[in-house]
Amino acid sequence: MPLTKRIIPCLDVTTREGVARVVKGTKFINLRDAGDPVELGAFYDEQRADELVFLDITASSDDRNILIDMVEKTGEQVFIPFTVGGGLRTVEDIKEILRAGADKISLNTAAIQNPNLIKDSAKIFGSQCIVTAIDAKRVYVKSPEVAKNNIIIQIGEKYCWWEVYIHGGRTPTGIDAILWGIEAQNLGSGEILLTSMDKDGTHLGYDLELTHIFSEKLTIPIIASGGAGDPQHIIDVFKLGKADAALAASIFHYNEYPIGIVKEECKKSGIPMRL
Amino acid sequence: MPFYIAIIDYEMGNLKSIFKCIKHLNADAIITDDLKEILEADGVILPGVGAFGDAMKHLKEKNLIPVLNQIVIKKKPLFGICLGQQLLFSRSSEMGEHKGLSLVEGEVIPFEISKVEKIPQIGWNSVRLLDSDNFLVEGIPNHSYFYFVHSFYSNPKNKDEIIGLTTYGDVEYCSIIGKDNIVATQFHPEKSSKYGIQIYKNFINYCRK
């Protein structure tokens, strides 16, 4: 029995009235407080999620203590690995979150602005806890020649490359996502959390070409994100996209497809899973 | 003295999650680098995440190496986790040659990219139990899954000391070790949900005896 593929629910959290809350309401009637990230985390552990990701979408440093408190409490009730991301800018920020009990942190905008943050933090805390989150969007071009400095993929009759966006997907950077991924790996990142902005929120499936090329070009694990709408999408991103892990939010939160069902479907199609 | 487990603090990795897991099982634990506190504990955990060389350097600086030797001589339960497991061995080739604690004979060697898909191995993998009578794996079904994060693995010289084996790519390696009062896992039980918690429960029960 080999290493299994991972299923990772993602919880967007915000801080309200001094406590961390899950942003979109979840639909679990058997939870005392479905908006409590800690309780929801423990519930997912019980459901056999392989890991959790908490993204602080407010990402305000004023609320850092609230986030740290959430991380502390999560560690008391959740016994699977969890990653915390959102607004971490310095080695000191990272240290606080890891000390509170997070297993990994994810860097996005701050890593683009200061790539040495990956290097410095990997050196201090180890590569295994530094995840680089990349938000990538397709840029279609007429021919491969017009974007010589990018990694161009032919999809059907079209050509495209992927551009990195920062600030929660609001700001294009002109940076090639694949080249950035390779650089992040070389700087010491232990994993890539790869979100397709084209697919995110569509429920139409992951960007398989994007995931596949990342998995091919990099040697570190790739967590695919953005677009999961049903179990088949997750099967596809493992089989065709060659992802190591699949992250999803709404299909789990609204209990459309409980984690157990998704994992069984994956297993049935021959994907190694921890059931 | 009331019962407690000492988690050795030598500035390598996430000690808090181990602490919380033990607390969750209603046992007392302290995170400490105090030699006396470690020696007087009912059981000792050597955790660790990071590089082998740095870890040995920190253990040396904190004068913890003789303490670990004494724990073994006194037959006190000692539990090495992840890097803490690798440190028990004689030597490692992680970023140069390093001498280990030599409490278990054998070496620590890297995965090769030609034999595995990705390095590090990150995620849940199963353990084939060779010795299901060892106290550490009581109540753990054969082929249960645990959470691993590592680029190096250990190769004990004495095969009798292998409690469990894990396969990654084309490599089958030792993922649970048992030697007298020493036990160790390459995976992180504190991150391995219910069977991981069971492992700590077994260790605590053994320490209470």
Side-chain angles (χ1 to χ4, degrees):
Chain A
M1 278 180 268
L3 179 70
T4 61
K5 300 285 186 181
R6 290 172 279 158
I7 302 286
I8 308 177
C10 178
L11 301 170
D12 286 346
V13 296
T14 182
T15 47
R16 219 180 306 148
E17 289 158 16
V19 290
R21 302 290 294 167
V22 176
V23 175
K24 290 171 199 160
T26 55
K27 285 191 180 164
F28 297 116
I29 44 168
N30 47 345
L31 286 187
R32 192 172 40 85
D33 176 3
D36 176 10
V38 180
E39 191 171 349
L40 199 52
F43 172 75
Y44 281 135
D45 177 355
E46 208 174 290
Q47 290 233 315
R48 303 231 169 168
D50 294 309
E51 271 183 62
L52 296 174
V53 170
F54 293 97
L55 284 184
D56 175 12
I57 59 157
T58 49
S60 150
S61 49
D62 305 342
D63 292 341
R64 188 60 41 75
N65 288 335
I66 302 168
L67 192 67
I68 288 169
D69 183 59
M70 180 205 81
V71 173
E72 288 270 2
K73 289 188 173 130
T74 301
E76 286 162 16
Q77 292 185 42
V78 174
F79 298 100
I80 54 174
F82 64 96
T83 304
V84 175
L88 306 177
R89 323 215 134 262
T90 63
V91 166
E92 202 47 45
D93 291 343
I94 294 168
K95 190 177 187 174
E96 281 183 336
I97 298 290
L98 292 175
R99 280 203 154 246
D103 299 282
K104 312 176 194 180
I105 56 90
S106 78
L107 298 172
N108 193 331
T109 304
I112 284 279
Q113 290 170 341
N114 172 22
N116 277 332
L117 183 60
I118 298 175
K119 193 172 158 190
D120 295 342
S121 51
K123 199 164 185 306
I124 299 169
F125 310 110
S127 290
Q128 81 292 333
C129 59
I130 310 299
V131 179
T132 300
I134 300 176
D135 293 339
K137 195 171 191 298
R138 289 183 179 207
V139 179
Y140 286 98
V141 288
K142 286 203 177 79
S143 75
E145 282 76 35
V146 299
K148 278 195 179 120
N149 297 323
N150 300 105
I151 296 185
I152 309 273
I153 301 296
Q154 186 174 5
I155 298 165
E157 304 213 321
K158 294 179 182 171
Y159 297 93
C160 84
W161 60 282
W162 282 269
E163 182 175 10
V164 176
Y165 277 64
I166 55 172
H167 297 131
R170 292 189 301 276
T171 313
T173 62
I175 296 169
D176 186 290
I178 299 156
L179 294 175
W180 167 234
I182 293 168
E183 190 184 343
Q185 169 179 292
N186 293 342
L187 287 165
S189 186
E191 283 178 280
I192 302 289
L193 168 48
L194 179 62
T195 302
S196 159
M197 291 180 53
D198 302 287
K199 296 293 190 140
D200 202 22
T202 64
H203 293 219
L204 293 171
Y206 294 87
D207 187 335
L208 300 177
E209 288 88 1
L210 173 67
T211 312
H212 186 262
I213 187 147
F214 258 77
S215 205
E216 224 169 48
K217 298 273 183 193
L218 276 67
T219 59
I220 56 177
I222 307 298
I223 303 163
S225 157
D230 63 41
Q232 188 59 44
H233 294 147
I234 293 179
I235 292 168
D236 289 344
V237 83
F238 287 136
K239 284 199 159 173
L240 306 172
K242 305 281 176 204
D244 298 283
L247 180 136
S250 53
I251 72 163
F252 298 135
H253 300 334
Y254 299 121
N255 220 7
E256 285 170 56
Y257 297 98
I259 290 172
I261 302 273
V262 171
K263 291 186 113 178
E264 269 168 39
E265 291 291 323
C266 286
K267 181 117 185 170
K268 266 188 227 158
S269 40
I271 296 160
M273 279 281 139
R274 175 183 72 113
L275 292 182
Chain B
M1 281 288 281
F3 178 92
Y4 71 91
I5 304 280
I7 302 165
I8 298 184
D9 180 7
Y10 63 112
E11 290 159 32
M12 299 296 282
N14 186 358
L15 311 183
K16 215 164 214 171
S17 47
I18 297 175
F19 177 82
K20 284 174 177 168
C21 198
I22 293 171
K23 286 279 183 185
H24 179 76
L25 291 162
N26 296 318
D28 232 336
I30 47 173
I31 296 173
T32 180
D33 60 358
D34 183 278
L35 309 183
K36 192 162 168 278
E37 271 185 332
I38 295 168
L39 279 170
E40 286 176 2
D42 297 272
V44 177
I45 291 178
L46 180 62
V49 170
F52 194 99
D54 289 346
M56 284 307 290
K57 197 176 121 218
H58 287 150
L59 286 176
K60 206 174 265 175
E61 280 166 3
K62 288 180 178 265
N63 208 16
L64 288 163
I65 296 174
V67 177
L68 285 161
N69 285 323
Q70 275 195 58
I71 286 161
V72 173
I73 292 164
K74 284 176 144 183
K75 301 256 175 230
K76 228 171 229 190
L78 173 64
F79 186 4
I81 294 162
C82 194
L83 178 62
Q85 180 246 184
Q86 298 182 357
L87 294 171
L88 300 174
F89 283 83
S90 325
R91 63 193 171 276
S92 166
S93 55
E94 182 174 0
M95 294 192 254
E97 284 294 318
H98 298 280
K99 206 172 161 297
L101 295 167
S102 298
L103 298 171
V104 178
E105 257 190 279
E107 56 180 356
V108 179
I109 48 180
F111 285 125
E112 290 166 43
I113 198 72
S114 57
K115 291 186 180 163
V116 299
E117 260 189 41
K118 304 253 169 135
I119 297 175
Q121 169 173 231
I122 299 183
W124 298 76
N125 204 334
S126 65
V127 175
R128 180 163 72 89
L129 296 174
L130 296 189
D131 177 7
S132 48
D133 293 333
N134 186 282
F135 73 85
L136 196 69
V137 294
E138 200 185 314
I140 306 283
N142 199 9
H143 305 295
S144 293
Y145 284 96
F146 296 93
Y147 187 78
F148 291 80
V149 182
H150 63 126
S151 305
F152 287 72
Y153 62 97
S154 53
N155 185 15
K157 196 175 166 200
N158 184 351
K159 304 301 172 203
D160 294 350
E161 290 161 6
I162 301 172
I163 306 298
L165 289 168
T166 293
T167 304
Y168 182 43
D170 296 333
V171 184
E172 190 181 49
Y173 66 95
C174 170
S175 51
I176 308 179
I177 292 160
K179 180 192 178 186
D180 307 323
N181 57 318
I182 303 172
V183 285
T185 61
Q186 178 58 63
F187 53 83
H188 288 273
E190 69 280 4
K191 291 294 155 188
S192 298
S193 204
K194 71 174 184 186
Y195 292 129
I197 295 170
Q198 180 68 36
I199 293 244
Y200 280 110
K201 200 172 175 180
N202 293 341
F203 181 69
I204 292 165
N205 286 343
Y206 182 75
C207 295
R208 286 194 195 276
K209 280 178 190 163

